[in-house]
Amino acid sequence: MKKRRLAMRTAILVLLVAAVAYTLYANFTKEERTRAKTGEMAPDFVLTDLEGNQHRLSDYKGKGVFLNFWGTWCKPCEKEMPYINNQYKQFKDRGVEVLAVNIGESNLAVSSFSEKYGLTFPIPLDKDSQVMNAYGVGPLPATFLVDKEGKIVKYHTGQLTEHMVKQYMESIEP
């Protein structure tokens, strides 16, 4: 009985040590995700929206771009979308564009969400998360402010208030 208990305890201890060793190895050898940095040129991309229109970031040169990464399942994203839409209506004729990049979801899910909230800005779809990875986006929602030259002037992660959205759009207005 004692030998069996000792064998069980030894097996459990070996598994725990192996798990800790693997965790340490994985943390020290993984590639560090580098986020696009303030002051640098925003990585260019081409994505297609729900209507089949292509959006290339470099095509918006001369305009400020409010680049938001989000998902329909993300509650903070859901809360900030009406704020972004309200401010987009105010700033779209003043040289500020919104690109709300959806991460990895179906057209149906994104379309239903967009209709539910009456969103009027372009929603490019990043089905394979390549653009998200190019920008080094972590938790959603994440917003990059891109000036008229194509440089990143600010990065924000987390939910935005309507006041913050307005301030951010004012800051990138050409």
Side-chain angles (χ1 to χ4, degrees):
M1 184 73 155
K2 285 186 178 183
K3 286 185 179 185
R4 189 172 178 194
R5 196 171 358 172
L6 179 63
M8 260 323 227
R9 288 180 179 169
T10 303
I12 291 171
L13 183 61
V14 167
L15 283 173
L16 285 173
V17 168
V20 168
Y22 174 76
T23 302
L24 290 172
Y25 170 78
N27 282 329
F28 287 115
T29 60
K30 73 177 182 181
E31 281 185 37
E32 191 64 32
R33 186 189 309 212
T34 56
R35 184 175 66 241
K37 293 181 178 37
T38 301
E40 293 180 353
M41 293 300 287
D44 200 14
F45 61 84
V46 178
L47 291 174
T48 304
D49 67 17
L50 291 169
E51 286 77 43
N53 302 317
Q54 287 198 329
H55 297 271
R56 179 183 304 272
L57 182 64
S58 57
D59 289 346
Y60 294 98
K61 198 163 191 159
K63 290 184 171 190
V65 178
F66 187 94
L67 181 60
N68 181 264
F69 292 87
W70 68 285
T72 61
W73 49 267
C74 164
K75 289 300 176 189
C77 302
E78 186 175 0
K79 288 181 181 175
E80 73 182 12
M81 281 295 160
Y83 306 147
I84 296 170
N85 199 52
N86 290 343
Q87 294 306 312
Y88 174 66
K89 290 174 184 176
Q90 305 300 315
F91 284 88
K92 68 180 178 181
D93 294 330
R94 294 164 52 183
V96 175
E97 189 62 57
V98 169
L99 292 176
V101 178
N102 177 269
I103 306 301
E105 295 186 85
S106 73
N107 289 27
L108 179 61
V110 177
S111 181
S112 297
F113 184 94
S114 176
E115 288 173 17
K116 178 180 177 183
Y117 290 98
L119 303 179
T120 58
F121 47 75
I123 303 176
L125 305 172
D126 188 13
K127 298 235 183 230
D128 55 7
S129 303
Q130 284 188 352
V131 176
M132 182 183 98
N133 291 333
Y135 277 79
V137 172
L140 298 179
T143 304
F144 289 86
L145 303 178
V146 181
D147 70 10
K148 64 182 180 180
E149 265 89 58
K151 287 186 183 173
I152 297 169
V153 294
K154 182 156 184 66
Y155 170 72
H156 178 88
T157 187
Q159 184 180 329
L160 297 167
T161 64
E162 188 152 10
H163 180 71
M164 292 167 74
V165 173
K166 182 179 181 186
Q167 283 184 318
Y168 287 168
M169 288 191 182
E170 285 173 344
S171 74
I172 58 174
E173 187 178 358

